[in-house]
Amino acid sequence: MRMVDVVQKKRDSQKLTTEEIYFFVNGYTEGKIPDYQVSALMMAIYFNGMDKEETADLTRAMASSGDMIDLSPIQGFKVDKHSTGGVGDKTSFIVAPLVASVGVPVAKMSGRGLGHTGGTIDKLESISGFQTELSREQFINNVNTHKLSLVGQSGNLAPADKKIYALRDVTATVDSLPLIASSIMSKKIASGADGIVLDVKTGSGAFMKTLEESQALAEAMVTIGNNVGKKTVAVISDMNQPLGFEIGNANEIKEAVEVLQGKNIQDLRELSLVLGSHMAVLAGVFDDTESAFKELEKNLENGKAFEAFKNFVIAQGGDVDQIVNVSKLPEAKYHIDVKADTEGFVSEIDAESIGIAAMYLGAGRASKDDLVNHAVGITLNKKIGDSVSAGETIAIIHSNDREPNKSIMKIRAAYNIENSKTNPNNLINEVIS
Ligand code: URA
């Protein structure tokens, strides 16, 4: 088989066979096929797509290119949760202890942030001493004991995806539905959970900007999951503005802790409860999402979910004092108000721009080897529908630089203020199972 023929076939909109897909995935992972040929193939897929079978084959080929994690020593039905990437998305820190508190084992592997979206692992590392690398035995033991462990992805999890994703990132081929669906699902399949709840974001801060595109992505991922024997559900949620009020690392942990302590940060709390309900139903702990939602809500209010979070932090070596007293988490030197120049109502907050503003501060990475600063970030004072007067603070920048002008400009440009009031979009658009 020759790679040039595989590229030509896809260039001419023909369907690739299973053998051809495994040939290029394995050949590229092993370094036998050069970047330029895989780049050409990615661009051909970007323009001509892949059907369901090709997408499933690509997923399987990438999943099996490295370690396939065996979670069978963990008792019970293991459920994973994955978000397609948002700004201010700290739901994992709420959902994971929440479902653990009703007995659902969560053995989760997460990534670091890149570009405008933050990473779960970076955020957890805001807590002093928190270990995101555990031995397999420790990981399994922690889940069996506390029902929860959350670690970084092992170096050899879906290595084909790692190489192909890095290539897509620099060849303008990231936002292709079959490539995104197979990339996400290959890692989820290799991670070994029995069930997966996907939070597919839609809107200005998401990969998929329209509801139609998000539905198509959700359907593609649910089909792949169910085809490989993993119970999979996708919740399509709004990302036309950041989730909650905090964007960064330590400040996102702080906000998640506030919800775990019972504070009603509406969109964040609601989405966490919805995702958690689907996880608990997949695991068979409840028959329906309504009763799951009610029980999970009780565990937010009675402190059981917060207790599960504290035990998880202790079990992974983190300083629990910083969780009990979040003012002990890393704090930036300067807190700078970003003010509105007109009065009216907030009609839009471009989530991607807010994510980029946070990245400029050092909360995220412009390129993959950058170091993240856990203390810096952004607090939004105003969200869509809120009234604003001229000169009022719309956001606060937490920065170690006294004059973070690029971030100030980016935040100002992200906010749109109009004369009449706009209501925010529905938080949950659809559930696909
Ligand atoms: N996240 C992934 O893991 N892969 C993609 O292709 C896009 C988002």
Side-chain angles (χ1 to χ4, degrees):
M1 200 176 286
R2 294 188 325 154
M3 185 61 184
V4 65
D5 300 323
V6 178
V7 177
Q8 184 173 341
K9 222 173 148 184
K10 190 42 80 184
R11 183 202 68 187
D12 297 341
S13 293
Q14 290 174 44
K15 178 172 173 153
L16 301 181
T17 64
T18 305
E19 291 69 37
E20 285 163 342
I21 289 171
Y22 274 80
F23 166 76
F24 94 76
V25 170
N26 292 337
Y28 187 51
T29 312
E30 289 160 16
K32 293 182 189 152
I33 298 175
D35 285 350
Y36 53 81
Q37 283 185 310
V38 178
S39 304
L41 179 64
M42 291 301 118
M43 193 56 86
I45 294 173
Y46 179 89
F47 281 113
N48 295 326
M50 280 183 136
D51 72 8
K52 280 189 181 150
E53 274 173 289
E54 291 174 292
T55 311
D57 282 337
L58 179 56
T59 311
R60 284 197 198 95
M62 293 199 295
S64 61
S65 66
D67 298 342
M68 297 286 277
I69 312 288
D70 174 16
L71 296 182
S72 60
I74 297 174
Q75 299 124 28
F77 189 96
K78 281 80 63 186
V79 190
D80 200 350
K81 172 242 158 207
H82 181 83
S83 149
T84 57
V87 177
D89 186 359
K90 66 284 284 175
T91 51
S92 287
F93 311 123
I94 302 164
V95 172
L98 192 52
V99 299
S101 75
V102 293
V104 179
V106 182
K108 186 163 168 50
M109 285 171 204
S110 291
R112 294 187 182 274
L114 184 62
H116 75 279
T117 61
T120 301
I121 292 299
D122 297 321
K123 294 172 195 177
L124 280 172
E125 285 175 350
S126 309
I127 307 166
S128 305
F130 193 96
Q131 297 299 313
T132 54
E133 282 180 29
L134 298 182
S135 68
R136 182 183 139 75
E137 289 66 34
Q138 254 181 313
F139 179 59
I140 287 173
N141 195 27
N142 282 8
V143 184
N144 278 334
T145 313
H146 303 289
K147 296 283 172 224
L148 169 60
S149 186
L150 213 160
V151 293
Q153 266 157 24
S154 94
N156 202 32
L157 193 90
D161 171 66
K162 197 179 261 176
K163 251 187 119 170
I164 293 173
Y165 190 81
L167 194 65
R168 287 166 55 211
D169 205 26
V170 292
T171 55
T173 51
V174 168
D175 42 354
S176 145
L177 190 147
L179 295 180
I180 296 176
S182 56
S183 164
I184 292 174
M185 292 306 287
S186 66
K187 288 175 289 224
K188 293 291 112 186
I189 291 164
S191 304
D194 305 307
I196 305 162
V197 173
L198 298 162
D199 178 10
V200 178
K201 304 287 189 191
T202 190
S204 66
F207 278 113
M208 297 298 172
K209 311 282 182 211
T210 67
L211 185 55
E212 292 69 32
E213 289 171 331
S214 308
Q215 283 164 330
L217 178 64
E219 274 163 20
M221 292 196 289
V222 168
T223 306
I224 296 170
N226 290 331
N227 281 347
V228 297
K230 312 264 180 199
K231 283 202 216 169
T232 309
V233 172
V235 174
I236 302 181
S237 73
D238 185 63
M239 190 32 72
N240 277 304
Q241 63 176 338
L243 195 63
F245 295 92
E246 303 289 344
I247 298 97
N249 293 290
N251 57 334
E252 289 200 29
I253 294 285
K254 186 170 153 227
E255 192 174 31
V257 166
E258 285 170 353
V259 172
L260 286 167
Q261 289 174 324
K263 188 166 174 188
N264 185 11
I265 298 170
Q266 229 177 349
D267 54 356
L268 179 58
R269 183 179 192 273
E270 170 86 10
L271 182 58
S272 302
L273 284 165
V274 169
L275 294 170
S277 307
H278 284 285
M279 288 170 78
V281 169
L282 277 194
V285 175
F286 298 99
D287 292 335
D288 57 79
T289 49
E290 290 73 26
S291 44
F293 192 100
K294 280 190 199 132
E295 283 305 307
L296 293 178
E297 206 168 25
K298 275 190 207 155
N299 280 7
L300 270 188
E301 280 152 19
N302 63 22
K304 284 192 181 159
F306 186 43
E307 208 51 39
F309 187 70
K310 285 191 287 185
N311 289 337
F312 150 71
V313 169
I314 295 167
Q316 294 199 210
D319 179 0
V320 78
D321 274 356
Q322 290 182 317
I323 298 305
V324 176
N325 183 357
V326 285
S327 66
K328 292 186 176 170
L329 282 165
E331 176 93 29
K333 274 197 212 147
Y334 307 106
H335 304 280
I336 298 143
D337 288 354
V338 181
K339 298 193 171 166
D341 38 25
T342 48
E343 65 168 23
F345 295 89
V346 178
S347 62
E348 214 181 302
I349 308 174
D350 183 63
E352 186 167 345
S353 299
I354 298 287
I356 293 171
M359 184 188 76
Y360 289 158
L361 296 170
R365 292 183 180 77
S367 66
K368 89 176 162 28
D369 297 323
D370 288 352
L371 289 178
V372 155
N373 184 329
H374 296 108
V376 302
I378 299 165
T379 304
L380 304 180
N381 271 21
K382 298 283 179 182
K383 294 199 62 177
I384 295 177
D386 289 347
S387 67
V388 183
S389 45
E392 198 179 349
T393 300
I394 49 175
I396 302 166
I397 291 179
H398 311 290
S399 170
N400 283 350
D401 170 5
R402 199 190 292 265
E403 291 176 350
N405 293 330
K406 260 169 72 178
S407 297
I408 294 176
M409 272 158 41
K410 201 80 190 161
I411 294 171
R412 279 232 176 89
Y415 270 85
N416 200 20
I417 297 172
E418 285 181 358
N419 287 333
S420 54
K421 183 175 160 92
T422 314
N423 288 322
N425 289 354
N426 286 341
L427 178 64
I428 310 290
N429 287 283
E430 203 175 325
V431 176
I432 294 175
S433 57

